[in-house]
Amino acid sequence: YQRRVHGGFFRASSRKMPKSARQRVVSLTKCRADPTAARDRKQTLVNRIRSAVEDFSSLYVFEIRNSRNKPMKQIRSTWSDSRFFMGKNKVMMLALGRTEAEEYRDGLCAISKMLVGNTGLLFTDRPKEEVMRYFQSDPECRVPEFAKSGFRCTRDVILHEGPILANFPTSAEPMIRGLGLPTAVRDGKIVVVKEHVVCREGDVLTPDQCKILKHLGLELSVFSVELVARWSADGIERLR
């Protein structure tokens, strides 16, 4: 920069302006999660599961398909006198015992081996007949839902030429067309200008396909909870 000298003239200075501290690059590679906190959370889950083994007369392993928070929350509410656990499978296995030498109660190591995939534990004092009846036939355990990306389509969905999405304003047509549908606005309506295959049975759905199906109101997936096995003082019983 320049500064004023005697006589009103300026001359260049070799000094540089200080670099702002706000411009410094801060590396985040040195940030680490607190291993103690993670270990404490795991130990807390182990303790809670083992406490439930003591407090309840029976334990069920269940599997969730097409998991959704809302219907699962409703099931928890219906069974508020019982206790659900859906943590990491390895931690739940540790709580029950992975081998006969480690198992917390006789037979629990066999239950822990069933914790594969999207599974969980239900502890309850309700009679077996009531538990079986609820999970086999109650509508809360089978709820139609909109498919998410990665879902394998269960049927063909084909749109024929003509009006579509009657509840959508014509201003939404560019958005619908952007999802890959051959649409246009005619006579104040959004129409499909030619037959279009949205998806075929067996296709793995993309995000855009899922959005189209949701706009069409088509719920292709089903949230469900199915019992896998039961453990009690009488032993282990496979339920499927």
Side-chain angles (χ1 to χ4, degrees):
Y1 66 94
Q2 294 179 323
R3 61 187 178 88
R4 185 182 294 273
V5 296
H6 181 70
F9 296 100
F10 291 87
R11 71 180 180 185
S13 172
S14 60
R15 290 185 298 169
K16 295 182 179 180
M17 293 292 288
K19 191 173 182 179
S20 172
R22 289 176 293 179
Q23 296 178 347
R24 294 175 184 171
V25 177
V26 179
S27 174
L28 299 179
T29 57
K30 295 183 179 180
C31 296
R32 295 288 185 271
D34 183 358
T36 303
R39 185 167 57 249
D40 289 345
R41 287 194 297 271
K42 292 178 182 179
Q43 188 59 52
T44 298
L45 178 58
V46 167
N47 293 340
R48 291 177 61 202
I49 290 175
R50 289 180 173 176
S51 177
V53 172
E54 302 288 350
D55 295 340
F56 294 91
S57 60
S58 57
L59 157 64
Y60 293 83
V61 178
F62 61 87
E63 180 181 14
I64 301 177
R65 295 182 180 177
N66 301 311
S67 180
R68 299 291 190 277
N69 290 332
K70 186 176 180 180
M72 194 63 219
K73 185 177 180 180
Q74 180 58 49
I75 292 175
R76 285 179 179 272
S77 177
T78 301
W79 291 77
S80 58
D81 58 344
S82 304
R83 191 166 298 171
F84 288 86
F85 292 96
M86 292 180 292
K88 290 186 176 181
N89 287 344
K90 289 185 178 180
V91 179
M92 293 192 293
M93 291 172 67
L94 179 64
L96 299 178
R98 293 166 294 190
T99 65
E100 290 187 7
E102 296 176 352
E103 61 185 6
Y104 188 68
R105 287 288 183 271
D106 291 345
L108 285 180
C109 70
I111 291 293
S112 72
K113 290 180 173 61
M114 300 178 191
L115 295 173
V116 178
N118 196 10
T119 53
L121 302 173
L122 164 64
F123 290 88
T124 185
D125 286 328
R126 296 198 195 184
K128 175 188 171 184
E129 294 74 19
E130 181 183 353
V131 178
M132 297 295 293
R133 182 171 59 253
Y134 175 82
F135 284 96
Q136 288 177 350
S137 59
D138 196 286
E140 290 182 355
C141 295
R142 288 187 63 82
V143 182
E145 294 284 350
F146 292 113
K148 291 185 177 181
S149 178
F151 176 76
R152 192 169 294 278
C153 191
T154 54
R155 66 182 178 91
D156 295 348
V157 177
I158 302 174
L159 300 180
H160 299 286
E161 185 176 347
I164 188 177
L165 302 175
N167 58 324
F168 275 63
T170 55
S171 59
E173 190 276 329
M175 179 270 292
I176 300 298
R177 182 164 19 97
L179 296 176
L181 292 182
T183 59
V185 176
R186 294 177 182 172
D187 299 325
K189 299 178 181 178
I190 300 176
V191 299
V192 177
V193 298
K194 63 179 180 179
E195 185 177 282
H196 179 75
V197 177
V198 177
C199 55
R200 294 284 190 185
E201 182 178 355
D203 288 351
V204 176
L205 297 181
T206 66
D208 282 352
Q209 287 174 313
C210 292
K211 290 178 183 178
I212 293 171
L213 293 171
K214 187 171 184 178
H215 292 324
L216 294 173
L218 297 178
E219 297 174 319
L220 299 189
S221 70
V222 177
F223 162 86
S224 65
V225 181
E226 298 180 7
L227 298 179
V228 177
R230 176 178 183 269
W231 174 91
S232 68
D234 298 328
I236 300 172
E237 179 182 1
R238 284 188 172 272
L239 303 176
R240 73 173 191 186

